[in-house]
Amino acid sequence: MSDIIEIKELKKIYKMGNERVEALKGISLNIKKGECCCILGTSGSGKSTLLNMIAGLEKPTKGQIIIKGQSIEKMNEKQVTKFRQKHVGFVFQSYNLLPNLTALENVAMPMIFGGISKRKREKEAKQMLQAVGLGDRLHHKPSQMSGGQQQRVSIARAFVGTPEIVFADEATGNLDTKTTMEVMELITNMANENNQTLIMVTHDTETAVYADRVIHVRDGLIERIDETKDDILKGINYKQEA
């Protein structure tokens, strides 16, 4: 597998009054196409900052982020927005569904920006909702669905159009254990079937077990990387015992 993302000496410094907070202290990392990669760390470790940098939601203070051969940190806001629309999907902890739209409309919405016709948008959105087990909830609004169902709509929206990269930011943070397992299996299976790169950010060691590789982040640095399932399980057991 070839690298789809290259991160080189990434640093992020926030200025808070007279203080300088170094959120990322020089992270270098390559992520392969089709890989399911988990960035694991506690609150304040820098994991969410790292995701925001990779996704082009924030600019790094120093360093380079190369995705599909393009340095996204050099792009202006319009360019990076267009890049995300073409290549990236997002699954958020808080679902981020529009309350006045139905499940079908929420999933179809990202395709509007791609200039796709309404008939095709609705056809693909319907197929995606059926794929996540919500074929009978097409016309339900978020308030008419459970948290697990809302997250499935969010997943359908992220994967519709088969983006090459999907970011999942604490995607199961608001879900119970049973629903978390269902959602993680759904996300990873969909990514594997379409050879999509999945980058998960979490503090939950039980979620990390679904990844091909786990990057442990602590105090703005990579503490270690677990490359095999055995290493991942050992790392999880170590964290739980600690």
Side-chain angles (χ1 to χ4, degrees), residues 116-124:
I116 297 170
S117 69
K118 183 178 180 181
R119 179 178 292 181
K120 189 174 180 182
R121 289 198 308 267
E122 290 186 350
K123 180 181 178 181
E124 291 194 20

Side-chain angles (χ1 to χ4, degrees), residues 196-210:
Q196 292 164 287
T197 302
L198 176 61
I199 301 174
M200 307 184 295
V201 170
T202 185
H203 68 278
D204 183 5
T205 54
E206 292 184 3
T207 301
V209 75
Y210 290 89

Side-chain angles (χ1 to χ4, degrees), residues 24-42:
L24 298 180
K25 300 176 181 178
I27 285 181
S28 295
L29 177 69
N30 286 12
I31 298 172
K32 296 186 180 299
K33 179 174 174 58
E35 179 180 12
C36 176
C37 177
C38 175
I39 300 170
L40 179 68
T42 58

Side-chain angles (χ1 to χ4, degrees), residues 19-173:
E19 291 188 36
R20 294 168 80 252
V21 178
E22 205 171 3
L24 298 180
K25 300 176 181 178
I27 285 181
S28 295
L29 177 69
N30 286 12
I31 298 172
K32 296 186 180 299
K33 179 174 174 58
E35 179 180 12
C36 176
C37 177
C38 175
I39 300 170
L40 179 68
T42 58
S43 178
S45 63
K47 64 183 187 301
S48 293
T49 301
L50 179 56
L51 178 138
N52 289 341
M53 300 292 113
I54 301 171
L57 299 173
E58 291 186 56
K59 295 282 187 183
T61 304
K62 287 184 179 179
Q64 196 173 16
I65 307 154
I66 302 169
I67 303 179
K68 291 180 61 64
Q70 300 184 57
S71 296
I72 65 166
E73 83 284 350
K74 294 179 181 178
M75 296 180 182
N76 60 36
E77 191 62 35
K78 186 176 180 180
Q79 289 171 328
V80 78
T81 298
K82 190 173 181 179
F83 184 88
R84 281 198 302 265
Q85 289 172 352
K86 188 174 181 181
H87 300 290
V88 174
F90 287 94
V91 183
F92 299 98
Q93 177 179 354
S94 55
Y95 320 139
N96 284 17
L97 302 177
L98 293 177
N100 295 326
L101 298 185
T102 64
L104 187 69
E105 291 166 339
N106 266 288
V107 175
M109 193 182 12
M111 292 182 282
I112 293 174
F113 304 106
I116 297 170
S117 69
K118 183 178 180 181
R119 179 178 292 181
K120 189 174 180 182
R121 289 198 308 267
E122 290 186 350
K123 180 181 178 181
E124 291 194 20
K126 182 179 179 180
Q127 289 173 343
M128 188 57 66
L129 284 165
Q130 288 172 337
V132 300
L134 292 178
D136 59 343
R137 295 287 190 274
L138 301 180
H139 303 293
H140 286 61
K141 292 182 178 179
S143 61
Q144 299 170 309
M145 292 182 282
S146 67
Q149 289 171 337
Q150 289 183 60
Q151 190 58 298
R152 285 173 180 265
V153 176
S154 176
I155 291 165
R157 182 183 58 191
F159 280 88
V160 76
T162 322
E164 291 164 276
I165 303 166
V166 176
F167 293 100
D169 187 6
E170 298 282 9
T172 60

Side-chain angles (χ1 to χ4, degrees), residues 178-229:
K178 180 177 179 292
T179 309
T180 290
M181 292 171 65
E182 292 172 354
V183 165
M184 287 309 305
E185 287 176 6
L186 179 61
I187 291 175
T188 52
N189 287 341
M190 290 178 74
N192 286 334
E193 285 172 11
N194 296 296
N195 196 32
Q196 292 164 287
T197 302
L198 176 61
I199 301 174
M200 307 184 295
V201 170
T202 185
H203 68 278
D204 183 5
T205 54
E206 292 184 3
T207 301
V209 75
Y210 290 89
D212 300 319
R213 190 164 56 128
V214 177
I215 290 90
H216 296 258
V217 177
R218 184 175 182 178
D219 296 330
L221 290 167
I222 292 176
E223 185 179 33
R224 76 171 192 278
I225 299 177
D226 294 336
E227 303 270 1
T228 68
K229 283 297 181 186

Side-chain angles (χ1 to χ4, degrees), residues 236-242:
I236 288 169
N237 290 333
Y238 171 78
K239 290 278 186 183
Q240 287 174 338
E241 288 168 10

